[in-house]
Amino acid sequence: ITTLYLSYLNAYMKKFLRILLILVGLYLLLLIPLPQYEHELQKPSQTPFVWGQDTLWESLETNFMSAKAMPSVTLDSIVQHLTIEADSILAIYEDKKLLPEDDYYGLVERKFFQLAPLIAAQENKTHWYINFYNRVRKKLKFDSRFWDMTNAHSRNTSYRILYGMRATVEEILLQSNEDQFVSTMIVSDEPSITPHADILGIKVHSGDLLVSRGGAEVSAFISRGNDYPGNFSHVALVHIDSKTNKPYFIEAHIEKGVAIATLDEYLSDKKLRFMVMRPRADLAQMMANPMLPHEASLFISEESKTRHIPYDFKMDYYDASAMFCSEVGSYAYKKFGIDLWEFESTISSNGIIDWLNNFGVENFVTQMPSDLEYDPMLSVVGEWRNKDVLFQDHLDNAVMDALISRANKGEKLDYTIWMLPVARVVKGYSFFLNTIGKEGIIPEGMGAVTALKNTDFVDRFNKCKLITVTKTKAFEKENNYLPPYWQMVRMAESSMLK
């Protein structure tokens, strides 16, 4: 019996060792790196926009703290005087067609920055600052129709006002209580005859573009990794069924490519904010066919049903066989004679280029979601954000700005080589799921190495964010107000120091 038992044990051990050797062999085989092919990257000959106004930001915070110490009656009187002054400047020029080199926009910007910390410090805020901001951006969107938006000065002026004033408004909103916070802003009721629906208080028409900000770490990278850093990372084209008036959203997802979402699905996919944009009614193409936006959205909706359109990691908007989010809207409208993104988006910082290239991006002259706001062919209809997630948006941006600073100083994304075999097995399983029409753990078009580097990016982001959150809470406890954005950037940068 003992001899028989030992014989069985010996046979079992041999079988176990053979399987173990096969697994070790497969593991070592999967460790072999694939040859790396150098792809020609499409890089711009531009320089990123730089505010370079640290002294101004510090003075704004100093003015805010001084205003908080003032008696309410005194502060309210100063604010009233300055708002009347600002309104009078806007009233003089509101109906005049202005060029970017005119003094008006610089003057309005300075006045608004002067007022912002005082309004933020008020106990009883009015909505003047929101109305003023919307009037200014509505005017700029009108004036920019006549500007050469390929000119750096025109582009910088548009960015400073539209992005800069939004950032200022949001600093005020974050210092507001729940009753004072304004989630939905209506900017312009651009005429449209296409089917419409109400989405969080905004009347949205078929063919509208919803520019949003997702909650994932890579969303922060997309919104900030641009020569003109912004607040948006995603674009969806709205199609509203003409019979049921139900809205549908055609959008490209990293995980599954181009797909159609219902309203509930769109809103449940974490959104930190969104902005509704609509083609101008006075465009020649729109005047010839007012239903064009509806037809464009129907076209891309039907195309996404008839063919699988994978996500385009290369961000090549000339090739429609795969699409990234911005490309969905631009492709649909281009079919009907409207070329969105009148000026191309550019990514020029070497660190950002290096990190994005790790994710598969090869085109750095492209179409970025945030830049759609500055397109003169589109009107800003409205905007929505929530107070809790607005702070999250600012926090994520600050962390991302700190990471980008490290990237531009030469830090590289990396991965643990010993995890490569595991990632390749997961990629193989994901490929199988893709072939039967399901989502894989690793997205279609993303390789094992890319997935591991993405994990490294997410880990860096979350580690920095965790420390920065602790610092923001300590700041709020000590100062009795939320830290402004520039303070959060400094906290995030110090959190990255080794």
Side-chain angles (χ1 to χ4, degrees), residues 142-432:
F142 176 84
D143 286 346
S144 66
R145 302 177 186 186
F146 310 101
W147 297 356
D148 174 12
M149 293 303 288
T150 61
N151 178 274
H153 185 64
S154 299
R155 181 75 188 276
N156 288 349
T157 300
S158 180
Y159 177 74
R160 288 179 68 97
I161 297 299
L162 295 179
Y163 172 79
M165 287 187 72
R166 173 193 290 107
T168 309
V169 164
E170 290 178 354
E171 291 295 341
I172 297 173
L173 286 172
L174 286 172
Q175 303 302 333
S176 305
N177 59 40
E178 292 294 336
D179 293 335
Q180 295 169 338
F181 191 89
V182 179
S183 291
T184 301
M185 293 183 187
I186 305 300
V187 183
S188 175
D189 186 18
E190 185 68 35
S192 175
I193 66 167
T194 68
H196 60 83
D198 183 277
I199 300 176
L200 297 179
I202 303 174
K203 188 178 179 181
V204 176
H205 281 261
S206 194
D208 284 357
L209 294 143
L210 263 64
V211 191
S212 63
R213 169 64 182 275
E217 297 82 5
V218 73
S219 297
F221 198 1
I222 293 169
S223 65
R224 305 304 292 172
N226 187 351
D227 284 351
Y228 291 89
N231 295 104
F232 303 98
S233 61
H234 187 66
V235 181
L237 182 62
V238 183
H239 176 70
I240 298 177
D241 189 290
S242 57
K243 295 179 180 178
T244 65
N245 271 30
K246 286 186 177 179
Y248 296 92
F249 304 81
I250 307 100
E251 48 190 345
H253 292 278
I254 288 175
E255 299 83 6
K256 57 188 175 184
V258 178
I260 300 174
T262 63
L263 177 59
D264 288 342
E265 288 169 339
Y266 177 79
L267 294 178
S268 64
D269 184 16
K270 189 176 180 182
K271 298 286 187 299
L272 301 186
R273 65 195 308 145
F274 69 78
M275 179 171 62
V276 181
M277 305 201 69
R278 183 175 303 153
R280 286 168 26 213
D282 63 350
L283 293 175
Q285 302 91 329
M286 292 288 294
M287 294 178 71
N289 178 14
M291 288 295 288
L292 185 154
H294 180 68
E295 293 171 8
S297 65
L298 178 61
F299 161 75
I300 189 63
S301 175
E302 292 300 319
E303 181 151 345
S304 68
K305 293 175 185 176
T306 56
R307 71 179 175 103
H308 171 59
I309 308 173
Y311 189 83
D312 180 10
F313 285 93
K314 295 180 181 180
M315 291 178 67
D316 180 2
Y317 65 93
Y318 291 109
D319 181 4
S321 61
M323 295 185 193
F324 58 101
C325 67
S326 300
E327 196 174 355
V328 173
S330 67
Y331 173 75
Y333 271 103
K334 191 171 184 177
K335 287 289 183 179
F336 291 81
I338 295 180
D339 291 320
L340 299 178
W341 278 272
E342 188 174 24
F343 46 86
E344 297 165 314
S345 303
T346 54
I347 303 169
S348 306
S349 300
N350 288 331
I352 298 175
I353 288 174
D354 179 62
W355 280 26
L356 285 176
N357 185 233
N358 281 308
F359 296 150
V361 178
E362 295 177 9
N363 297 274
F364 299 96
V365 178
T366 185
Q367 297 174 335
M368 298 292 280
S370 284
D371 287 341
L372 196 63
E373 181 179 7
Y374 315 114
D375 191 329
M377 290 190 293
L378 297 169
S379 291
V380 177
V381 174
E383 196 167 353
W384 174 90
R385 79 274 277 175
N386 171 280
K387 185 175 183 180
D388 292 336
V389 295
L390 179 59
F391 182 75
Q392 185 71 36
D393 172 277
H394 282 218
L395 177 64
D396 286 355
N397 282 354
V399 171
M400 195 63 242
D401 283 354
L403 285 171
I404 286 172
S405 176
R406 303 291 286 192
N408 289 332
K409 290 176 181 176
E411 279 198 11
K412 305 289 185 182
L413 293 178
D414 204 353
Y415 66 95
T416 304
I417 186 65
W418 306 113
M419 288 300 296
L420 182 57
V422 177
R424 283 176 166 169
V425 170
V426 173
K427 178 59 187 176
Y429 176 63
S430 299
F431 178 78
F432 168 73

Side-chain angles (χ1 to χ4, degrees), residues 93-105:
Y93 293 98
E94 198 160 17
D95 296 326
K96 295 180 181 179
K97 189 166 67 177
L98 299 174
L99 297 173
E101 55 266 24
D102 290 332
D103 294 335
Y104 166 78
Y105 283 110

